[in-house]
């Protein structure tokens, strides 16, 4: 219905949407009464831990569903795509946290382990 174009489904576009939507809640999280007066660095780390944990849980559940549908495997473009999306989301969260802490992520830092894989 309507002329709205379907969203782009590349790993980069999907990860960008996930990071943008989840990090958009930062100001609301920071404004909660229980977070008033909390050290800004601790607040940012707690927030990223919260959204990262939620993403990892959802990612694991989605991967389990796709495995059950037999669309996963070493040569599967679906598996390659979701693993790339996972890595890009984790990098996005690292970058978001670095921006809140006033630091820049190390370009040569080791990638995060894919805990849900």
């Amino acid at each position: 219905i309507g002329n709205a174009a379907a969203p782009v489904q590349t790993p980069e576009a999907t990860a960008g949407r996930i990071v943008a939507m989840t990090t958009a809640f930062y100001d609301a999280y920071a404004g909660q009464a229980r977070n008033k007066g909390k050290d800004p660095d601790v607040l940012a780390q707690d927030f990223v831990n919260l959204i990262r944990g939620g993403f990892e849980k959802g990612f694991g559940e989605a991967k389990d569903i796709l495995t059950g549908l037999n669309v996963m495997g070493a040569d599967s473009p679906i598996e390659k795509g979701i693993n790339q999306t996972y890595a890009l989301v984790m990098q996005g969260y690292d970058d978001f946290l670095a921006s809140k802490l006033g630091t820049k992520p190390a370009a040569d830092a080791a990638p995060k382990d894919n805990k849900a894989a």
Side-chain angles (χ1 to χ4, degrees), residues 19 76 85 100:
V19 171
S76 166
T85 301
K100 294 299 178 191

Side-chain angles (χ1 to χ4, degrees), residues 47-57 90 93-94 112:
F47 175 75
V48 170
N49 288 343
L50 179 67
I51 61 173
R52 190 184 304 264
F55 172 75
E56 288 177 340
K57 181 179 180 197
M90 291 296 118
Y93 289 157
D94 290 344
K112 300 270 186 243

Side-chain angles (χ1 to χ4, degrees), residues 9-23:
Q9 298 300 324
T10 65
E12 295 82 4
T14 301
R17 286 190 298 272
I18 291 168
V19 171
M21 287 188 305
T22 55
T23 58

Side-chain angles (χ1 to χ4, degrees), residues 4-88:
V8 176
Q9 298 300 324
T10 65
E12 295 82 4
T14 301
R17 286 190 298 272
I18 291 168
V19 171
M21 287 188 305
T22 55
T23 58
F25 291 100
Y26 181 75
D27 289 338
Y29 178 82
Q32 290 180 341
R34 69 176 175 208
N35 293 325
K36 297 269 186 193
K38 188 182 269 190
D39 178 272
D41 290 352
V42 172
L43 181 69
Q45 185 65 59
D46 289 350
F47 175 75
V48 170
N49 288 343
L50 179 67
I51 61 173
R52 190 184 304 264
F55 172 75
E56 288 177 340
K57 181 179 180 197
F59 177 86
E61 291 170 0
K63 196 166 185 177
D64 289 346
I65 290 167
L66 293 170
T67 298
L69 294 173
N70 296 316
V71 296
M72 301 293 277
D75 294 329
S76 166
I78 293 173
E79 184 162 359
K80 289 177 184 175
I82 66 168
N83 287 338
Q84 185 179 4
T85 301
Y86 179 93
L88 291 167

